[in-house]
Amino acid sequence: VLVESLVVFAIVLSVHGVVWDRFSWCALALALQAFYVQFKWDRLLQGGGAVFQFRGAANSGLLPASMVIPLLGIVMKERCRAAGIVYFERFGVVVASTGMLLALFLSVLAVGITKPVPTNTCILTGMAGSVIIYTMKHSLAVSEVIEVLEVLLIFVYLSMILLYLLPRCFTPGEALLVLGGVSFVLNQLIKRSLNVVEGKGDPIDFFLLVAVVGVVLLGLFFTVLFVFMDSGTWISSMFFHMMTAVLGLGVIMPWLYRLIQRNPLLWLLQFLFQTQTRLYLLVYWTLLAASACGVVFYQNAKRSSESKKHQASTITRKYFHFIVVATYVPGLIYDRQLLYVAAVLCLAVFVFLEYVRYFRIKPFGQTLRHLLSLFLDERDSGPLILTHIYLLLGMSLPVWLFPRSCAPKGTLSGAGALVPYSGVLAVGVGDTIASVFGSTMGEIKWPGTKKTFEGTMTAVFAQIIAVALILIFDSSVNLNSSYAWILASVSLVSLLEAYTTQIDNLLLPLYLQIMFMA
């Protein structure tokens, strides 16, 4: 925990060494109090005193999770200010303020339920909160303050509902990242739905917002419904499929139609088959999806009847990382907009299939349970299997969060040109190579962990080679001699991978994106 915290502090200081403004004091105060409060969370988790059941075999992860959203907002604000885009500069300020307030709320919650009340930590949290609120008072307009408070309110309600319904699925830090992100998306969707201006806004952005909110609302609806019904019967399964169609065609499609001012299905078909390059990419991705399914069926066929407890090895699970890299790299090089939309569709399909598996919806629910049980690891301790969804999110978030409006020619300068590749580098290359080489050839272990020095060093080296290959094959990338910063970014994130117990598929790409954008 101490080394993980040191790495996070190093990243925070590195970012603010480049980007220093009034929010930097807030970020440093937030990081300092989160460092102390995470030990209170860890004690609550170990003693069973937390309000909800969180994922075991991991620390709270409060510090690394608390800094992600504020740092993203700060670097986005600076990039858009440099490009002269005032709207997205203010949007970055709102993102940073929202992230700080959500992290502060989680800290206050931990301090409030700790017995006896930790006086020193209370004082530190109060001082950090005072600095943050004072800065927000002098930085945000009234409408922006209301927006931040709306996200906080949605986060509180979502946390109470989902953490109760889904025990042992998240650590406090992961809950902050996932539920904070969903709360922000929901608030953005409501805001844009109430202020629709014809011809304003990119349809693919609306597509992402509606898809995320749609699958979350679908899950909440069926969770409440199946409290009163047995989800494993044919009648319940037919009702599930029927209501999915009703909600999709009767709520989500009209909602999307209102935002993009055209038929969503016709727009999607026209978008997907607009050019010949997109056709080639879709065929290629279909073949890769079929190969991934082939790996699942092959590994299950190898499972003999006498070894029912057999689990897939680390190297076997990393096959999917290689397939995802092969999926994303051509999309990043040839058509990022198509990759953006395809990733949204994939997320919707993954979440829907997880609902089918979780609720045991016929005819595929039980089959999915059997097939995916082979690939479970210690992080899938709750009722949901989320690692494959986290892998997709880790690869896609840098593409979705890339500030296209603040990039003059579709790409940022310097290390920022590698922002869309953050997921590929951190998860697809770094994490995969570290796991494969560390588990097969690693001998020198990092103190206090199962990760090896050889695995981390190989991961750094592999990511540098990957950057060189990106420079060769993607003509839009121009690093402008920012090689030292790239090396430092990759090294810090690889060290974080060695020490964090959080979901690295989600955390590492976001930190690498922050470093590249800074």
Side-chain angles (χ1 to χ4, degrees):
V1 176
L2 289 173
V3 178
E4 178 190 54
S5 302
L6 283 173
V7 175
V8 173
F9 274 114
I11 292 174
V12 172
L13 293 173
S14 299
V15 170
H16 291 296
V18 180
V19 181
W20 185 268
D21 60 8
R22 66 175 66 179
F23 281 96
S24 301
W25 294 110
C26 297
L28 292 175
L30 181 69
L32 193 61
Q33 68 86 30
F35 172 73
Y36 281 95
V37 172
Q38 77 174 351
F39 291 104
K40 309 303 176 190
W41 265 117
D42 290 343
R43 197 171 298 128
L44 287 168
L45 295 177
Q46 291 165 5
V51 179
F52 302 103
Q53 294 184 58
F54 291 100
R55 183 166 67 85
N59 66 322
S60 65
L62 186 64
L63 173 59
S66 293
M67 301 315 300
V68 168
I69 301 177
L71 289 180
L72 267 175
I74 289 169
V75 294
M76 183 186 296
K77 173 180 71 71
E78 285 301 308
R79 283 287 184 174
C80 295
R81 184 184 62 79
I85 312 296
V86 177
Y87 175 82
F88 284 101
E89 181 187 347
R90 299 306 305 170
F91 184 73
V93 172
V94 171
V95 171
S97 303
T98 303
M100 290 178 188
L101 208 60
L102 294 182
L104 198 63
F105 168 77
L106 212 58
S107 298
V108 171
L109 179 64
V111 171
I113 60 178
T114 300
K115 303 297 181 187
V117 176
T119 308
N120 293 337
T121 308
C122 280
I123 294 171
L124 191 61
T125 302
M127 291 172 62
S130 301
V131 171
I132 291 168
I133 292 171
Y134 178 81
T135 305
M136 287 173 60
K137 178 179 179 293
H138 290 82
S139 303
L140 298 178
V142 175
S143 60
E144 292 170 338
V145 172
I146 292 172
E147 187 174 348
V148 171
L149 293 176
E150 285 170 351
V151 177
L152 179 61
L153 187 64
I154 295 169
F155 175 77
V156 171
Y157 279 108
L158 267 183
S159 299
M160 288 192 297
I161 295 169
L162 292 180
L163 292 178
Y164 173 74
L165 295 174
L166 304 172
R168 304 181 307 283
C169 284
F170 308 100
T171 64
E174 291 160 8
L176 173 61
L177 276 180
V178 175
L179 301 182
V182 172
S183 303
F184 199 86
V185 166
L186 179 56
N187 184 68
Q188 283 296 306
L189 182 58
I190 294 170
K191 177 185 171 184
R192 297 191 188 193
S193 299
L194 295 174
N195 300 289
V196 174
V197 178
E198 188 171 354
K200 187 176 180 180
D202 195 333
I204 66 173
D205 291 330
F206 293 135
F207 189 64
L208 171 63
L209 295 177
V210 172
V212 171
V213 173
V215 294
V216 171
L217 293 179
L218 197 68
L220 289 174
F221 174 79
F222 286 120
T223 301
V224 173
L225 179 68
F226 289 134
V227 168
F228 307 100
M229 297 174 63
D230 180 7
S231 62
T233 64
W234 273 106
I235 293 176
S236 297
S237 300
M238 289 176 64
F239 190 72
F240 173 88
H241 296 300
M242 184 180 68
M243 287 306 300
T244 300
V246 168
L247 289 171
L249 297 175
V251 177
I252 296 172
M253 286 299 171
W255 201 345
L256 193 53
Y257 179 85
R258 170 175 168 76
L259 291 168
I260 67 175
Q261 300 294 312
R262 67 190 85 167
N263 188 304
L265 289 177
L266 293 178
W267 169 81
L268 183 59
L269 290 172
Q270 183 182 3
F271 178 86
L272 293 177
F273 302 108
Q274 195 168 16
T275 64
Q276 197 169 20
T277 303
R278 290 186 176 179
L279 280 173
Y280 290 147
L281 282 171
L282 289 172
V283 171
Y284 171 67
W285 289 341
T286 303
L287 293 174
L288 286 176
S291 66
C293 294
V295 170
V296 173
F297 289 123
Y298 175 71
Q299 291 296 326
N300 274 274
K302 282 175 62 178
R303 178 163 43 174
S304 62
S305 57
E306 61 268 17
S307 58
K308 290 182 180 178
K309 294 184 179 179
H310 169 70
Q311 294 296 114
S313 65
T314 300
I315 296 176
T316 301
R317 285 199 294 270
K318 297 305 173 185
Y319 288 162
F320 299 104
H321 286 234
F322 286 119
I323 291 172
V324 170
V325 170
T327 302
Y328 273 72
V329 170
L332 287 168
I333 293 173
Y334 294 111
D335 197 328
R336 291 182 185 177
Q337 281 201 324
L338 178 65
L339 181 64
Y340 186 113
V341 172
V344 174
L345 288 172
C346 253
L347 177 65
V349 170
F350 275 21
V351 175
F352 178 76
L353 289 177
E354 181 57 24
Y355 290 157
V356 171
R357 186 205 66 84
Y358 174 66
F359 292 121
R360 294 175 287 114
I361 301 299
K362 295 179 182 296
F364 301 115
Q366 203 59 44
T367 305
L368 283 172
R369 285 196 168 212
H370 175 74
L371 291 174
L372 296 181
S373 63
L374 179 65
F375 299 94
L376 297 179
D377 61 14
E378 68 277 0
R379 294 174 298 183
D380 291 310
S381 56
L384 296 184
I385 300 177
L386 296 172
T387 44
H388 60 298
I389 297 174
Y390 284 140
L391 175 60
L392 177 66
L393 284 174
M395 301 292 286
S396 304
L397 283 172
V399 180
W400 294 339
L401 299 177
F402 180 74
R404 297 190 309 279
S405 302
C406 303
K409 296 179 181 178
T411 183
L412 299 174
S413 58
L418 292 173
V419 165
Y421 289 94
S422 300
V424 171
L425 291 172
V427 176
V429 177
D431 182 41
T432 305
I433 297 297
S435 295
V436 172
F437 279 83
S439 60
T440 54
M441 295 187 291
E443 293 182 1
I444 306 171
K445 294 188 181 298
W446 289 105
T449 76
K450 296 179 181 178
K451 307 293 179 69
T452 64
F453 175 80
E454 293 90 341
T456 304
M457 291 300 104
T458 311
V460 173
F461 186 61
Q463 288 175 81
I464 297 303
I465 293 175
V467 170
L469 292 173
I470 290 168
L471 276 171
I472 293 170
F473 290 104
D474 191 344
S475 57
S476 67
V477 175
N478 182 12
L479 300 183
N480 294 337
S481 304
S482 52
Y483 303 110
W485 182 265
I486 292 169
L487 179 60
S489 304
V490 165
S491 301
L492 282 172
V493 172
S494 297
L495 193 58
L496 182 62
E497 186 274 335
Y499 274 94
T500 188
T501 56
Q502 305 305 295
I503 299 291
D504 47 13
N505 289 348
L506 190 62
L507 199 64
L508 303 183
L510 291 172
Y511 269 112
L512 192 58
Q513 176 176 4
I514 289 165
M515 291 293 287
F516 284 162
M517 283 183 69

